[in-house]
Amino acid sequence: MLAGIQELAPEIKARAAEIEAARRVPPDIVERLRSIGIFRMFVPRSHGGLELDFPAGMEVIKALARLDGSIGWITVVAGASSLFVAASRPEMYQRIYQDGPDTAICGSSQPGGTAERVTDGYRVKGRWPFASGCTHADWIGGFCIVTENGKPVTGAQGKPLVRVVALPARDWEIEDTWYAAGLKGTGSHHVTLRERLVPDADFFDLGTAPHQPGPLYQALPQWLPLVHGAFAVGVAEGCVDDLLALANTGKQQLYAALPMRESETFQYDLGRISANLAAAQAFQEVQAASHWRHAVSGTLNDEDLVTEGARSAVWLATTCVGIADACFALAGSSAVHDSSPLQRRLRDLHVGAQHAHAQQRLYVDVGKLALRRSAGDAG
């Protein structure tokens, strides 16, 4: 897969402006990515997928994010969506992958819909935001609050019961709403279902016992922050690549006494950036390897590991945004033009850091976990 990505790299870089202008990944590039295997990387081997070890999948995400943030993001969606639908019942899973393991799936985890219980299933309606990749998806899913007689049904811990509806993409309406500061090429539009009757067979529940064997599929929330961390590191690597390429052209900024590469001021800042990037790379790899060890040993389904993953995702997002900001500043006025990949990567990282899995407020849970573990050690 990594070799295929490198073969595709020159075309992805050359068509970055086209991807942004179209606000989606062009269909021919989607097909190239499909042939490389991004939609099958976390599909079980029993269904023709690659069933990659999780750390190996993170290397794929980083490699594509390093080339282009939007393509890296839809690769995150491709991997995470495969893990989501692994929670579905065997009959639904078979329908989703009946045409093979390269099925493109996307969805929205915001509970933007309602599913009213009726005799023959559910009456579903809703409007879901941020459905990244919906323009090339084969299947789309959306989280629904289950209602009965117009009132939410109570689920675990007294919270509203939420179920996931999954239907072929042709059954959804895509609203052209994705006009954003970054990740412009992800096609993260709103998707809508007008009121329609949906049988129970088209729903599945998260948090139930795994329906697929193997370490990848025993838990879902633990993996999700980690894919965002891999994305952030990949884009940050691309920022440093761009800065080094600019310096190696012999660029000398206006009023500067020396070319960038010969300036000790530039060298100092580059050294600091390189250290931050190396720390981010190491943290991401260690966290992915740690979670994978838990998965292999059957201990992944632990709420504390969700918090550990959140800790890495938030820190990586913050650190990588800092790397992008520093690279942009060092590049000077050459980075302000639309033709500069640095300004695009900066925007992509800032928008990616707005995701719920990368929000600073998650540090509260990280602090609580540290206190709880400290109290346990003291006892």
Side-chain angles (χ1 to χ4, degrees):
M1 289 183 74
L2 294 176
I5 290 167
Q6 288 309 307
E7 289 178 10
L8 190 54
E11 184 172 1
I12 289 176
K13 291 180 179 180
R15 297 176 67 181
E18 176 190 346
I19 291 170
E20 281 219 322
R23 293 177 297 118
R24 62 176 293 177
V25 178
D28 63 304
I29 293 184
V30 171
E31 291 312 306
R32 293 283 298 278
L33 295 170
R34 196 188 304 268
S35 69
I36 287 170
I38 71 162
F39 298 117
R40 68 166 67 190
M41 64 180 178
F42 288 150
V43 176
R45 283 186 287 273
S46 61
H47 287 71
L50 298 173
E51 199 172 335
L52 294 181
D53 291 358
F54 187 78
M58 297 307 94
E59 293 303 310
V60 173
I61 289 172
K62 284 193 293 183
L64 284 165
R66 188 170 187 166
L67 297 176
D68 184 271
S70 290
I71 288 180
W73 193 264
I74 69 163
T75 306
V76 165
V77 172
S81 296
S82 296
L83 296 173
F84 265 104
V85 299
S88 65
R89 289 167 289 190
E91 303 79 24
M92 171 181 273
Y93 199 77
Q94 190 62 41
R95 279 189 288 124
I96 291 173
Y97 287 110
Q98 63 185 347
D99 294 326
D102 294 311
T103 299
I105 307 164
C106 82
S108 172
S109 60
Q110 295 196 24
T114 58
E116 174 76 8
R117 283 178 174 169
V118 294
T119 303
D120 298 323
Y122 296 88
R123 195 166 298 282
V124 179
K125 62 180 178 181
R127 182 173 183 262
W128 291 261
F130 302 115
S132 302
C134 61
T135 54
H136 62 255
D138 301 306
W139 281 72
I140 298 176
F143 283 42
C144 297
I145 295 175
V146 177
T147 60
E148 196 164 23
N149 298 321
K151 296 180 179 180
V153 175
T154 301
Q157 301 173 339
K159 296 179 180 180
L161 177 62
V162 175
R163 303 195 74 197
V164 184
V165 61
L167 298 167
R170 63 178 178 271
D171 294 338
W172 299 74
E173 177 185 339
I174 297 174
E175 297 184 28
D176 186 7
T177 58
W178 186 239
Y179 295 87
L183 296 176
K184 289 178 177 287
T186 59
S188 302
H189 302 288
H190 282 73
V191 293
T192 301
L193 284 177
R194 306 299 176 186
E195 188 167 311
R196 59 180 295 152
L197 184 64
V198 178
D200 181 70
D202 291 332
F203 282 84
F204 66 92
D205 302 295
L206 300 175
T208 58
H211 292 286
Q212 299 296 327
L216 269 176
Y217 314 112
Q218 62 183 271
L220 176 66
Q222 287 75 5
W223 293 133
L224 298 180
L226 273 62
V227 296
H228 289 278
F231 161 82
V233 171
V235 180
E237 290 172 341
C239 289
V240 176
D241 290 342
D242 293 339
L243 183 63
L244 290 171
L246 179 64
N248 285 326
T249 65
K251 174 76 174 178
Q252 184 167 341
Q253 295 178 352
L254 186 63
Y255 306 129
L258 296 167
M260 292 170 64
R261 62 174 294 117
E262 297 176 24
S263 163
E264 287 193 352
T265 301
F266 177 83
Q267 293 164 359
Y268 167 84
D269 283 329
L270 178 61
R272 180 174 53 81
I273 290 168
S274 298
N276 286 339
L277 179 61
Q281 290 168 323
F283 192 8
Q284 185 273 322
E285 290 171 7
V286 166
Q287 192 67 72
S290 174
H291 268 47
W292 183 244
R293 285 195 297 272
H294 279 285
V296 170
S297 65
T299 58
L300 182 66
N301 195 8
D302 182 336
E303 193 66 28
D304 286 353
L305 295 181
V306 178
T307 304
E308 285 187 14
R311 178 183 62 190
S312 68
V314 177
W315 187 87
L316 288 170
T318 304
T319 300
C320 292
V321 162
I323 290 169
D325 289 347
C327 289
F328 182 83
L330 275 181
S333 60
S334 63
V336 306
H337 298 286
D338 284 346
S339 58
S340 167
L342 258 176
Q343 54 81 28
R344 184 176 64 254
R345 296 188 199 276
L346 180 144
R347 291 185 284 105
D348 288 347
L349 268 172
H350 273 275
V351 170
Q354 298 295 93
H355 194 278
H357 285 303
Q359 289 289 306
Q360 297 285 314
R361 64 177 179 270
L362 296 174
Y363 274 140
V364 173
D365 293 333
V366 176
K368 288 178 180 178
L369 176 61
L371 288 168
R372 191 168 71 251
R373 286 178 170 174
S374 175
D377 291 342

